[in-house]
Amino acid sequence: MPDDLELAVLTATFDANAGDEEALAAALARYVVLARTEPGCRNIDLVTSTTLSGRFMLIEKWDSPDAARAHLDGVAMTDMAREAVPLLADRPDIDLYDTISAHDLA
């Protein structure tokens, strides 16, 4: 990556309660639409596991670690958390990564 291009990747994995898979998918899909409009957001993908039923992952690319951290305290994230927490079998696994190798169009 060019020295002047900064990119942070935020991931979040969610495991739905049995029977709450559709409701969790809907909450996460709404979140993706809203969060994609936030300053510093490059893209957010929502994927589902093919090996573990009810597992969803968000893969988010942000302009910088600071933009990602600001997003974590933002309205889209807190609203999604409020809606998703009752649908979860366990705490979500959320992590912020620095890129070693990533392709992103500037």
Side-chain angles (χ1 to χ4, degrees):
M1 291 178 60
D3 291 338
D4 61 343
L5 181 62
E6 193 173 20
L7 184 69
V9 177
L10 180 70
T11 63
T13 304
F14 303 86
D15 292 313
N17 290 320
D20 286 331
E21 296 87 355
E22 285 186 34
L24 181 57
L28 295 174
R30 280 189 292 281
Y31 160 79
V32 167
V33 170
L34 295 172
R36 279 182 178 157
T37 65
E38 289 188 12
C41 181
R42 289 177 174 256
N43 190 43
I44 302 177
D45 292 316
L46 173 59
V47 297
T48 187
S49 175
T50 59
T51 58
L52 293 171
S53 179
R55 176 167 285 176
F56 299 90
M57 178 182 271
L58 294 167
I59 305 163
E60 307 184 12
K61 289 184 178 180
W62 294 89
D63 283 342
S64 68
D66 288 340
R69 285 186 198 97
H71 161 73
L72 289 172
D73 294 326
V75 174
M77 178 63 85
T78 56
D79 286 352
M80 180 273 289
R82 190 175 303 112
E83 187 176 358
V85 164
L87 307 171
L88 298 177
D90 203 355
R91 293 181 63 138
D93 180 21
I94 300 172
D95 207 350
L96 180 61
Y97 296 87
D98 286 327
T99 56
I100 295 171
S101 174
H103 176 74
D104 199 51
L105 300 175

